[in-house]
Amino acid sequence: MPSSYNVRSRARERNSVLSRPEFMSLNHQPLRGAAGGSPSESRGSARRPGQIKHQTSQPSEEPTDSGSKDRREPSKMPEEDCMQLNPSFKGIAMNSLLAIDICLSKRMGVCAYTSSSWGGCRSMVALLALTGHGITWIIGTIVCLTRSNTLAGQEVLVNLLLALILDVMTVAGVQRLVKRRGPWEMTPGFMDCVAMDVYSFPAAHASRAAMVSKFLLSHLVLAVPLRILLVLWALLVGLSRVLLGKHHLTDMVCGFALGMLHFTLMETVWLSSSTCQTLISISTLSWSPFF
């Protein structure tokens, strides 16, 4: 009958991790069942793993905690991966629309370079786009204002000038916030840098053309053919920037909407004739607050 001490030592040896065969080389302990092993040696070897386990129990607490943290951290990764791999329907729809917009805009950029399919028409399309440039309209409005002799004409021209300045500043601010690049990598020209039309969204030419055409249609008495030509001009100016590879289709559409918003805002804050005359007097240094 084995003694109770031998039973306890065998139980400790069986429960000890260091008594497994793969850890025997670390303890310099022969495998169980090997010949030549005495009971006293077995008791000593059975006691030795317990001592080693007791000595190494304190240093191993810190790695255990770090290991548990490592096990907790990877448990969060699959959920994040699932969120990235399974986006919402709104995200899928937006990405699909943006992809379609970029693809169509690149296909329509037939005048982006001289080597493009419509590269021979590039200069003519660029000239059409110049008719909707902000600097062109601001200088033209100032020239017409200096030559106008009627109060009604000066009232319309002053409000148009303020609307053009509002359009340039608003579009430049939105472009600086969004910073969307065009469908083709192009360096902005000198006129674009002067008008602060550096980025793609929204299309400044489309916004200006929509605002100016609506403004002229509302405050000028024009024949029907001229009205049709004015609307066609606004559409072609916005489209010309897409053909030149400067803007996306969505930039052009949003530009048209922003131009209509500018027109509505100017109609709301329309300056009267007396206020326009005061501004003209201040600008020409002939205004006097006492008369």
Side-chain angles (χ1 to χ4, degrees):
M1 289 291 293
S3 61
S4 61
Y5 179 81
N6 293 334
V7 173
R8 287 196 301 271
S9 64
R10 290 195 187 96
R12 283 197 302 270
E13 183 180 1
R14 194 181 305 111
N15 296 329
S16 177
V17 177
L18 298 176
S19 63
R20 295 179 181 176
E22 56 267 24
F23 295 103
M24 284 299 185
S25 60
L26 299 176
N27 299 325
H28 304 287
Q29 177 182 352
L31 293 172
R32 291 188 60 186
S38 60
S40 60
E41 292 176 355
S42 65
R43 285 197 301 270
S45 63
R47 194 179 300 112
R48 202 174 298 123
Q51 295 175 356
I52 296 175
K53 181 178 180 181
H54 178 71
Q55 293 175 0
T56 59
S57 61
Q58 295 179 354
S60 63
E61 290 177 0
E62 187 173 356
T64 304
D65 296 339
S66 61
S68 62
K69 292 179 181 179
D70 294 339
R71 285 193 300 271
R72 286 195 300 269
E73 291 177 357
S75 63
K76 300 179 182 179
M77 294 302 294
E79 183 179 358
E80 296 178 358
D81 294 341
C82 291
M83 292 176 64
Q84 294 176 0
L85 295 175
N86 298 308
S88 61
F89 175 77
K90 182 179 179 181
I92 294 175
M94 290 297 295
N95 292 332
S96 301
L97 290 177
L98 288 176
I100 295 172
D101 178 34
I102 294 173
C103 181
L104 291 178
S105 302
K106 283 184 174 291
R107 287 180 178 272
M108 293 184 65
V110 292
C111 300
Y113 301 98
T114 55
S115 59
S116 301
S117 57
W118 288 15
C121 303
R122 177 177 170 80
S123 57
M124 185 175 62
V125 176
L127 182 62
L128 176 62
L130 186 62
T131 60
H133 203 280
I135 301 300
T136 305
W137 274 96
I138 289 175
I139 293 176
T141 305
I142 293 175
V143 171
C144 293
L145 184 60
T146 57
R147 295 180 177 273
S148 178
N149 297 322
T150 61
L151 295 179
Q154 291 177 355
E155 178 184 353
V156 172
L157 290 173
V158 168
N159 283 278
L160 177 59
L161 180 61
L162 294 178
L164 290 171
I165 296 174
L166 173 65
D167 181 81
V168 170
M169 299 301 294
T170 304
V171 171
V174 175
Q175 286 186 357
R176 291 288 181 179
L177 289 176
V178 179
K179 292 184 178 181
R180 186 186 187 188
R181 298 291 181 180
W184 300 93
E185 292 294 333
M186 293 182 177
T187 304
F190 174 75
M191 294 290 288
D192 293 335
C193 293
V194 172
M196 296 177 289
D197 187 10
V198 180
Y199 296 99
S200 176
F201 181 88
H205 288 66
S207 173
R208 196 167 304 111
M211 188 269 297
V212 169
S213 61
K214 183 64 176 176
F215 190 95
L216 296 180
L217 289 173
S218 300
H219 298 284
L220 295 182
V221 179
L222 300 174
V224 175
L226 291 178
R227 288 177 172 270
I228 295 175
L229 287 177
L230 193 58
V231 174
L232 288 177
W233 168 80
L235 294 175
L236 290 176
V237 167
L239 186 62
S240 65
R241 298 288 287 180
V242 179
L243 297 178
L244 291 172
K246 299 287 187 178
H247 297 286
H248 300 85
L249 285 174
T250 52
D251 303 335
M252 180 185 67
V253 174
C254 293
F256 285 142
L258 187 60
M260 299 303 294
L261 180 62
H262 289 158
F263 168 77
T264 305
L265 180 62
M266 283 306 303
E267 289 294 313
T268 305
V269 295
W270 184 266
L271 300 182
S272 62
S273 179
S274 60
T275 306
C276 293
Q277 292 302 315
T278 303
L279 293 177
I280 293 173
S281 302
I282 292 174
S283 61
T284 56
L285 301 179
S286 60
W287 175 72
S288 176
F290 302 103
F291 299 98

